[in-house]
Amino acid sequence: MQTSHDAEKKITVQSLAELGPLPMKVALGCSVLLPVAIVLALVFGHGWDLFAFSYLQSTFFFLSISLGALFFVMVQQLTRAGWSVVLRRLSEFLSLGVIPLAVLVLPIVLLTLMGNDTLYQWASAKNIANDSLLQAKSAYLNKGFFALRYVIYFGAWIFLAKFFLGKSLAQDETGDPETTLLMERRSGPGILLYTFTLTFAAIDFIMSLDPHWFSTIFGVYYFAAGLVGFFSVLAISLVYLRSKGILKEPVSTEHLHDVGKLLFAFNCFWAYIAISQYLLIWYANIPEETSFFLPRQENGWGTVSLMLVVGHFAIPFVFFMSRKMKRNPKPLVFWGFYLLIMNWVDIFWLVMPNIAFDGMESSVTFPMLLINVCCTIGVGGIYVASILKLAGDKSVMPVRDPRLEESLRFHNI
């Protein structure tokens, strides 16, 4: 493979730093809402429980986006994709979000290590002593092993994210095509490592909120949600950067079209996994499995469930299918924001119904929504500010990738 000098002449090195200080200031301003959520937790009854679950939901909402970005980066390398070169670096930056999230998730792990059962029933020795099922699962669901797995998960994700970005940046300096071949060879084992860690992380941090319930498809469900979130953010980011003169020439309507197609496709994939999980549990009708869906049909959760069926799948399936919607920046941004919000509702639906106050079932309330929204915006501010800081003045595009010219000339059939 040879680096195309013609392609290099067509581009200029640009970075996110060219956006100026405003995005960083806005992100840091949003982060203030995290302590606001803590204050609200002091005001409302059961506020600390609401905050703990909201904080978990917020961190794993943004984690799903970064993990989706990491998967996209590795798949592009594995398949030797040329079309995506001009937007791959932005995906590599988004994958770096696992670094600040490793720190943000740490309080959850420390709280569990202290034996606090606000989130996880299995963290309390008293609960285990009174529950035969928790005793049977204690070899896996225990505080020490949980903390060790946290280190393994985030250690693996940070290593993968830094490896692929580091090699890509090194190629910007050397132009060595062997670097591309190295990333291709490493992406296969990387995806295997990613698959195992993501699956078990989804089980540990979200599914084990209800330790009596289980689903063998849950890891895939979280994976699908993450890809919907990632492609939503990618579509929004590309249109925004082009409007600011960054990536305006390299990223064409053809690239936006493909990002829109992937967003639509993985939203359908999410719906397929969701209905598969539901139907398997519905027709088996086993109490140990139906315990997940029954609470999500009452106390306001039925409305949220219906919102996911109609809002997350039916509406975008009908109105976002059009080629025109994917090639026009404004509709693409609209659907990007729309599906990102639906993805947030999805993670909200997974986490928040597990709250139980003194044995009472969870219900959708104004304090829950208020604390959750503040928590999400606050965590999101830290997340975005960290990515901007880590991206720094690095080139927003792999300027000496051997397949750059193919990407610049990309055209949909």
Side-chain angles (χ1 to χ4, degrees):
M1 293 182 292
Q2 298 294 325
T3 302
S4 171
H5 294 290
D6 292 338
E8 289 184 44
K9 292 176 182 177
K10 295 177 183 177
I11 60 174
T12 56
V13 176
Q14 296 175 298
S15 70
L16 295 181
E18 294 181 30
L19 292 172
L22 183 60
M24 179 67 78
K25 290 180 179 179
V26 172
L28 292 175
C30 290
S31 67
V32 174
L33 285 181
L34 187 57
V36 169
I38 297 175
V39 173
L40 291 173
L42 294 171
V43 174
F44 295 109
H46 302 294
W48 282 114
D49 286 11
L50 288 174
F51 175 78
F53 278 86
S54 297
Y55 185 77
L56 173 67
Q57 186 261 335
S58 299
T59 53
F60 272 77
F61 166 68
F62 289 105
L63 179 62
S64 69
I65 295 170
S66 285
L67 291 179
L70 181 58
F71 177 78
F72 178 76
V73 169
M74 290 189 290
V75 165
Q76 299 312 294
Q77 295 290 359
L78 184 64
T79 59
R80 301 180 178 182
W83 74 273
S84 59
V85 169
V86 295
L87 50 86
R88 198 186 68 228
R89 180 62 55 77
L90 186 58
S91 306
E92 291 166 348
F93 287 158
L94 286 172
S95 72
L96 289 179
V98 296
I99 297 175
L101 286 166
V103 179
L104 289 168
V105 172
L106 183 59
I108 297 172
V109 178
L110 295 177
L111 190 70
T112 306
L113 277 174
M114 293 167 58
N116 188 295
D117 64 349
T118 299
L119 290 171
Y120 304 108
Q121 299 175 32
W122 49 264
S124 169
K126 182 180 178 181
N127 292 338
I128 295 174
N130 297 325
D131 193 318
S132 59
L133 185 58
L134 292 185
Q135 293 171 18
K137 294 185 176 183
S138 62
Y140 183 83
L141 292 179
N142 63 77
K143 297 178 289 185
F145 195 21
F146 175 74
L148 176 61
R149 294 196 300 274
Y150 154 80
V151 173
I152 294 172
Y153 300 151
F154 280 92
W157 298 333
I158 291 171
F159 169 77
L160 291 172
K162 294 187 73 173
F163 172 82
F164 286 100
L165 175 60
K167 292 300 179 184
S168 184
L169 289 172
Q171 192 175 55
D172 286 352
E173 300 295 328
T174 65
D176 185 3
E178 288 296 322
T179 304
T180 294
L181 297 176
L182 175 64
M183 289 190 284
E184 288 173 6
R185 290 193 292 267
R186 296 293 183 268
S187 58
I191 288 177
L192 290 176
L193 178 60
Y194 168 93
T195 302
F196 280 106
T197 50
L198 178 143
T199 299
F200 282 98
I203 292 171
D204 290 356
F205 284 92
I206 301 180
M207 194 171 80
S208 75
L209 290 169
D210 181 358
H212 296 90
W213 179 72
F214 57 89
S215 169
T216 56
I217 205 173
F218 192 81
V220 183
Y221 185 100
Y222 182 70
F223 163 76
L227 284 169
V228 174
F230 161 65
F231 285 117
S232 296
V233 171
L234 183 62
I236 296 166
S237 300
L238 288 172
V239 173
Y240 173 72
L241 291 175
R242 291 176 83 241
S243 72
K244 297 299 180 180
I246 301 175
L247 291 177
K248 185 174 183 179
E249 296 300 325
V251 177
S252 67
T253 301
E254 307 299 327
H255 296 100
L256 295 180
H257 187 189
D258 264 27
V259 171
K261 287 190 287 186
L262 286 167
L263 175 55
F264 178 81
F266 278 102
N267 195 60
C268 292
F269 177 68
W270 168 87
Y272 167 73
I273 297 300
I275 194 63
S276 296
Q277 178 174 257
Y278 178 78
L279 287 177
L280 287 169
I281 292 174
W282 175 76
Y283 71 63
N285 200 27
I286 301 173
E288 290 86 349
E289 296 178 348
T290 57
S291 62
F292 176 82
F293 285 102
L294 292 177
R296 288 167 173 80
Q297 299 175 1
E298 303 171 344
N299 301 320
W301 291 111
T303 302
V304 180
S305 299
L306 184 61
M307 183 186 302
L308 290 174
V309 174
V310 177
H312 202 330
F313 173 65
I315 291 177
F317 183 78
V318 174
F319 296 102
F320 188 41
M321 185 183 294
S322 168
R323 170 187 172 94
K324 184 178 180 180
M325 290 291 179
K326 302 177 184 70
R327 296 178 67 85
N328 191 318
K330 290 183 179 179
L332 182 61
V333 166
F334 168 80
W335 286 108
F337 274 113
Y338 177 87
L339 286 172
L340 189 62
I341 292 170
M342 287 295 107
N343 190 49
W344 180 87
V345 174
D346 183 32
I347 307 297
F348 177 83
W349 180 80
L350 290 178
V351 173
M352 302 307 290
N354 292 286
I355 301 176
F357 302 133
D358 303 322
M360 296 178 62
E361 292 183 350
S362 170
S363 59
V364 182
T365 62
F366 174 73
M368 174 188 288
L369 293 171
L370 183 59
I371 292 175
N372 205 297
V373 169
C374 289
C375 203
T376 299
I377 296 175
V379 170
I382 298 172
Y383 174 78
V384 172
S386 299
I387 290 176
L388 291 173
K389 180 67 175 178
L390 291 168
D393 58 357
K394 300 177 181 67
S395 172
V396 79
M397 190 174 65
V399 292
R400 301 186 72 182
D401 189 285
R403 298 190 178 92
L404 177 58
E405 186 171 6
E406 179 185 348
S407 185
L408 292 171
R409 294 178 177 179
F410 173 66
H411 183 74
N412 281 283
I413 297 176

